[in-house]
Amino acid sequence: MAASCKSLYRCCQQSVCHLVARKLSSSRSVSPPPLHRRILLFLTQRFYDLEMLLSWRGQLRRKGIMRKNAYYDFTQRLYGSDIAAAFYILSLKGGFRFVGQSDWFRADQRGKFNWDFLNHKDTPLEEVDMSYTVINYRGLDNLEGQQSLRTLALRGCPEVDDWFLARLHVFEDSLEELDISHCPRITTGGLAALRNLKGLRRLDLSSLPGISSPGLVVILLEEMLPQCQIIATGYDYSIKQHGGEEEVQR
Amino acid sequence: MSAWRRLHVKVRRAHGLFTSRRVTEQYTWMYGPSTLGQNLSTGKPLRNDFFKELEAQLAAMRKKAADALPGSSWSPFDINPNLPPERADIVIIGGGVMGWSIAYWLKQKERVREGVKVIVVERDLTYSQASTVLSAGGIRQQFSLPENIHLSLASADFMRNINEHLGVLNEDPVDLQFNQSGYLFLASEEVAHIMEENYSTQRQVGAKVTLLSPTQLKEKFPWINTDGVALASYGLENEGWFDPWSLLNAFRRKAMSMGVIQCCGEVTDFKYTVSMMTSPGGDPVVYKRINSVKVQMPKGLEYQMVECAIVVNAAGAFSGKLAEMLGISSNPKDTIAGTPVPVEPRKRYIYVVHCPDGPGLDTPFLIDYSGMYFRREGLGGNYITGASPKEADEPDTSNLEVDHQFFEDSVWPRLAYRVPAFEKLKVTSAWAGFYDYNTFDQNGIIGDHPVINNMYFATGFSGHGLQQSPAAGRAVAELILDGNFKTLDMRGLGFRRIMAQEPILERNIL
């Protein structure tokens, strides 16, 4: 019963969407944005105030990300760069492992973490997991001193882009494993910068939506990094089928 | 108009014929068949017509009156909608990436909405011959002048956050298609010491560059022939190449969304006032102040005089010619007013070659000490390459035709020598573009002219205008709106050095 209700509701919602879409008649052929977005669009085209508010919202969002990725200067001066890096990672809800230890320090879902890492002064980090965090180019400042970093996981980070990848050259001597799967802003232009990481042994590139021809890119990357194992799943390599569909459409 | 009137008369005549027949039937029993009665009777329906028309005409009049009220765009004269407005605060001549960048920064820095009225005048909106879109599109920090390194670093920072700057609400985000591959400069024995000095300047300013010995070079790029290379410098960060058209369009879209007016036309004349002053030495100095700019429409003889307070000369390769219109170079050479703007167009060829055995994804933007350069284009084994010719055999700049012999003679031998894989290649296409070459010292001119006190220059970048445009545009906007440079000190790149005949030369390894 509940399921049928839900489907009915979805049907109604869709039909409303279609109606509004027809009225606004946008020229783009891609799937239309949700209803509230389109109402906002309609209003911003008529009212400067709303445009202003929306741009403020965007600015606030960016400022928040910038604040989270700020340089931990104070911590660095008090405790040294290793503790500062550890603190930065934990406050972004990431996880890490010190050199010569087997257990990981991680922040939980609500951002709470164990402060015991303060006891490990001057111990560099060996593995860092920043998956699903808002780490960006600026935040790399905090990790720059980690010269023995071997594993870096950046799975599904919305702010990791090509410039971030270009800056990974700071770990060029030590980094062996890199996971950049599911990052929406990475494109082929950024992957070319991975050539500086000559010690890379394992690279995960699964499901990057910004890459246009993944098959070719993976081959070129394998050529560029011969001793690196490249994992690229989640792509549709079936070129033949795609061409067939196009023909049917014509 | 006359045709319409004729039609009207015809209709009336037809109408009259029709009614008169009906009326004659009615009135013949009273007056008999007389011509007079016929004439009289035709008057009545005509008057009816008049009142009917009156209603329609009144409605039209009301509409016209409503149109003529303030706030509507109607005007009694037939006006070409493409004409620029009669008055503006700042006219930017040249709608290349530099011009649009200045326009964007002017709007960005204004305190209130519509605080400054900015017009960008561009000759060719298809940009078919523009230097911006015909360039190779690279950005590097490997300069020797701190000013250039600063400009380039600031521009890279701008491009990193391009969507914060140039993103327009409810539009697609800007995609520069930036390729993060560093520049690789190769130096021979004679110029290796210059490269070392440049390297220390670059590190000092904050660019991430590393030096490589021939052995390290061979290890890092095994496909390079290192014969003759004594030292190489390789950019690790903030270097690469991008799509110039995307950057130009992003600037233009954002600036126009902020209220900059784009105008298609050519500036053919200036109206200026002249005032005489004497210098401390007692020599007379002629000061000029531009009052208005004559903008000629692309087709026909139509033109518009645009009254303005400030003119920005961002015409790239043709900015020298533009300055000549103000009589700058017609004066005797040794006076201040006689200092010409030392910018002239130079033609450079870019060849697209296909080479399946080429170096692939790890191709840097390689610049050889012989002047040859190449970079990757896309992923399909295409490369673009070129070389700077010797000063003596500069090609003719009257057209944009490509000299394929130049590739055979000067580019290919060097290319194949440096990278043996390029011995087998196919030229798939080629184009030529203009370079705004500064004959004085091959560096940009940012700042105001000493004797034309409301003309600002942003020109003469000699090939690195595209990569420095975001920061240079900001510098010019600061100079205009704030009166001096706020973020980057660009006084060294001003006009003063040309007057004093003190070139600040880039210490190149080429």
Side-chain angles (χ1 to χ4, degrees):
Chain A
M1 184 63 197
S4 70
C5 266
K6 201 170 254 181
S7 71
L8 188 72
Y9 172 72
R10 203 171 291 155
C11 252
C12 285
Q13 214 176 16
Q14 265 181 2
S15 64
V16 167
C17 278
H18 283 306
L19 270 177
V20 177
R22 218 169 287 154
K23 266 183 194 165
L24 284 171
S25 72
S26 72
S27 58
R28 267 184 233 156
S29 57
V30 290
S31 60
L35 180 64
H36 68 277
R37 277 276 180 83
R38 266 171 297 152
I39 292 174
L40 276 180
L41 166 69
F42 179 80
L43 290 173
T44 47
Q45 280 165 352
R46 278 153 187 79
F47 300 104
Y48 280 142
D49 325 39
L50 216 75
E51 195 186 327
M52 213 55 206
L53 282 175
L54 280 184
S55 64
W56 279 346
R57 195 184 67 174
Q59 269 175 27
L60 270 180
R61 223 194 93 247
R62 279 198 296 271
K63 241 185 199 165
I65 290 171
M66 276 295 159
R67 208 190 53 239
K68 281 179 186 159
N69 281 298
Y71 185 50
Y72 281 37
D73 186 39
F74 185 67
T75 323
Q76 189 144 9
R77 265 182 289 151
L78 266 170
Y79 295 97
S81 66
D82 298 325
I83 296 293
F87 184 37
Y88 164 72
I89 291 163
L90 287 177
S91 41
L92 245 64
K93 300 184 192 172
F96 64 88
R97 186 172 69 77
F98 281 118
V99 169
Q101 289 194 350
S102 56
D103 47 340
W104 282 66
F105 286 90
R106 272 186 191 284
D108 66 0
Q109 284 280 308
R110 294 164 59 204
K112 292 268 173 16
F113 51 82
N114 187 357
W115 288 88
D116 288 347
F117 70 91
L118 286 175
N119 305 331
H120 303 276
K121 215 169 169 181
D122 295 329
T123 321
L125 311 182
E126 193 174 355
E127 287 187 60
V128 171
D129 179 11
M130 298 298 281
S131 300
Y132 305 105
T133 60
V134 291
I135 183 171
N136 71 359
Y137 181 87
R138 283 267 303 274
L140 263 185
D141 283 344
N142 294 310
L143 301 182
E144 210 159 18
Q146 301 306 316
Q147 289 306 320
S148 47
L149 185 70
R150 285 174 52 198
T151 310
L152 183 59
L154 300 162
R155 190 186 177 84
C157 293
E159 300 294 322
V160 167
D161 54 5
D162 295 345
W163 298 86
F164 186 97
L165 292 190
R167 209 180 168 191
L168 286 180
H169 74 86
V170 292
F171 309 122
E172 61 180 338
D173 301 322
S174 60
L175 200 64
E176 288 177 6
E177 282 183 37
L178 181 63
D179 180 1
I180 47 171
S181 53
H182 300 277
C183 291
R185 287 172 62 181
I186 287 177
T187 66
T188 319
L191 294 178
L194 295 179
R195 72 158 332 284
N196 293 325
L197 304 171
K198 39 185 188 288
L200 212 58
R201 295 276 169 273
R202 195 166 171 280
L203 176 64
D204 194 343
L205 299 169
S206 308
S207 304
L208 297 179
I211 290 183
S212 48
S213 44
L216 179 61
V217 170
V218 170
I219 290 170
L220 288 171
L221 273 173
E222 278 170 353
E223 224 171 74
M224 189 170 86
L225 303 165
Q227 54 311 61
C228 178
Q229 182 201 354
I230 292 172
I231 300 152
T233 53
Y235 294 112
D236 183 20
Y237 293 117
S238 51
I239 304 157
K240 213 171 177 181
Q241 197 186 357
H242 193 70
E245 271 177 13
E246 267 187 1
E247 272 180 16
V248 168
Q249 277 176 359
R250 270 175 214 159
Chain B
M1 187 66 200
S2 64
W4 180 79
R5 197 174 288 156
R6 217 177 300 135
L7 189 79
H8 191 75
V9 168
K10 211 179 275 172
V11 168
R12 194 156 62 180
R13 204 179 293 147
H15 201 128
L17 268 175
F18 174 71
T19 45
S20 67
R21 197 174 298 141
R22 202 189 59 197
V23 170
T24 37
E25 274 169 18
Q26 244 175 13
Y27 288 92
T28 29
W29 63 272
M30 265 175 83
Y31 302 105
S34 76
T35 47
L36 184 76
Q38 247 182 23
N39 279 350
L40 274 175
S41 57
T42 47
K44 200 176 149 198
L46 257 183
R47 213 176 300 142
N48 257 342
D49 261 12
F50 173 74
F51 280 112
K52 261 182 210 159
E53 273 175 21
L54 186 70
E55 238 170 74
Q57 269 175 8
L58 276 175
M61 229 158 88
R62 269 199 301 273
K63 192 169 171 288
K64 208 169 248 185
D67 276 346
L69 278 175
S72 80
S73 60
W74 181 86
S75 101
F77 311 108
D78 186 25
I79 283 183
N80 185 348
N82 299 323
L83 274 180
E86 285 175 33
R87 269 175 217 93
D89 296 319
I90 299 167
V91 174
I92 297 169
I93 304 169
V97 72
M98 194 62 74
W100 280 111
S101 166
I102 297 167
Y104 161 73
W105 281 109
L106 283 171
K107 277 286 168 187
Q108 182 70 33
K109 288 183 72 66
E110 68 182 2
R111 296 281 167 77
V112 289
R113 194 181 281 272
E114 301 299 324
V116 282
K117 190 171 178 181
V118 182
I119 299 183
V120 175
V121 182
E122 167 57 39
R123 185 162 58 171
D124 176 19
L125 287 184
T126 60
Y127 292 94
S128 59
Q129 302 204 336
S131 316
T132 302
V133 294
L134 295 178
S135 72
I139 176 166
R140 59 170 161 140
Q141 277 87 45
Q142 299 182 43
F143 294 100
S144 68
L145 283 177
E147 276 96 345
N148 277 334
I149 304 170
H150 275 302
L151 275 177
S152 196
L153 274 174
S155 298
D157 189 62
F158 183 90
M159 287 179 202
R160 190 181 311 127
N161 305 314
I162 191 148
N163 276 309
E164 280 172 40
H165 295 285
L166 300 184
V168 179
L169 209 64
N170 295 319
E171 298 250 359
D172 297 335
V174 183
D175 179 18
L176 278 186
Q177 297 167 25
F178 200 102
N179 227 300
Q180 307 274 354
S181 304
Y183 270 65
L184 179 66
F185 279 80
L186 306 180
S188 60
E189 197 69 61
E190 301 97 73
V191 289
H193 65 284
I194 302 180
M195 179 175 269
E196 249 172 272
E197 283 166 34
N198 289 357
Y199 167 77
S200 61
T201 320
Q202 288 151 12
R203 290 301 291 207
Q204 220 164 17
V205 171
K208 303 278 188 292
V209 185
T210 112
L211 283 183
L212 302 172
S213 70
T215 341
Q216 283 170 317
L217 180 68
K218 191 77 188 173
E219 191 187 324
K220 210 162 175 145
F221 302 97
W223 39 267
I224 287 184
N225 172 19
T226 51
D227 294 349
V229 178
L231 197 62
S233 76
Y234 179 59
L236 294 167
E237 212 180 297
N238 295 333
E239 295 197 341
W241 57 88
F242 56 95
D243 180 21
W245 176 247
S246 305
L247 182 66
L248 172 68
N249 240 355
F251 266 126
R252 185 162 67 146
R253 187 182 72 173
K254 181 69 182 181
M256 282 171 77
S257 83
M258 293 167 99
V260 175
I261 300 161
Q262 171 182 257
C263 157
C264 179
E266 193 174 351
V267 173
T268 53
D269 206 357
F270 294 97
K271 226 186 229 172
Y272 51 85
T273 51
V274 177
S275 58
M276 295 293 284
M277 290 183 199
T278 41
S279 66
D283 306 322
V285 179
V286 182
Y287 271 92
K288 288 175 182 166
R289 189 175 173 82
I290 300 168
N291 291 339
S292 55
V293 178
K294 181 181 174 183
V295 181
Q296 186 88 38
M297 291 289 104
K299 284 175 201 147
L301 296 170
E302 245 178 329
Y303 69 89
Q304 170 82 282
M305 297 302 292
V306 183
E307 271 182 61
C308 58
I310 286 169
V311 176
V312 181
N313 186 344
F318 304 99
S319 47
K321 233 165 86 186
L322 194 74
E324 267 176 41
M325 284 176 206
L326 286 158
I328 290 182
S329 61
S330 63
N331 299 14
K333 268 257 159 152
D334 48 336
T335 62
I336 301 173
T339 323
V341 178
V343 179
E344 60 177 43
R346 290 278 169 96
K347 192 159 78 167
R348 290 289 181 272
Y349 308 116
I350 294 179
Y351 304 92
V352 184
V353 299
H354 183 69
C355 177
D357 304 331
L361 196 61
D362 62 343
T363 318
F365 200 130
L366 187 140
I367 298 186
D368 192 43
Y369 54 83
S370 61
M372 180 275 299
Y373 67 85
F374 80 92
R375 72 159 169 88
R376 180 169 55 81
E377 173 69 31
L379 298 170
N382 288 319
Y383 300 85
I384 69 175
T385 176
S388 19
K390 288 192 192 74
E391 189 73 30
D393 33 68
E394 278 290 341
D396 166 42
T397 54
S398 58
N399 55 29
L400 280 177
E401 270 166 29
V402 179
D403 180 10
H404 284 277
Q405 197 58 42
F406 181 72
F407 180 77
E408 300 277 336
D409 294 343
S410 306
V411 183
W412 196 7
R414 298 177 195 171
L415 186 65
Y417 176 71
R418 193 51 65 209
V419 185
F422 281 119
E423 268 160 15
K424 280 184 284 177
L425 56 76
K426 198 173 100 187
V427 180
T428 49
S429 120
W431 72 84
F434 288 128
Y435 213 59
D436 51 342
Y437 192 78
N438 180 348
T439 52
F440 183 64
D441 60 3
Q442 292 88 52
N443 273 311
I445 303 170
I446 300 175
D448 47 350
H449 193 273
V451 290
I452 304 167
N453 61 2
N454 59 349
M455 183 179 247
Y456 289 77
F457 284 88
T459 183
F461 287 90
S462 314
H464 36 254
L466 174 71
Q467 55 175 294
Q468 296 182 341
S469 60
R474 187 177 60 182
V476 175
E478 280 168 4
L479 196 62
I480 291 174
L481 293 183
D482 301 330
N484 54 352
F485 297 114
K486 293 273 175 187
T487 44
L488 292 176
D489 186 6
M490 287 295 128
R491 273 174 297 182
L493 291 178
F495 224 94
R496 185 178 294 274
R497 69 176 202 268
I498 298 169
M499 267 168 50
Q501 293 292 315
E502 288 168 357
I504 45 165
L505 286 163
E506 186 64 42
R507 294 198 68 194
N508 280 328
I509 51 144
L510 306 184

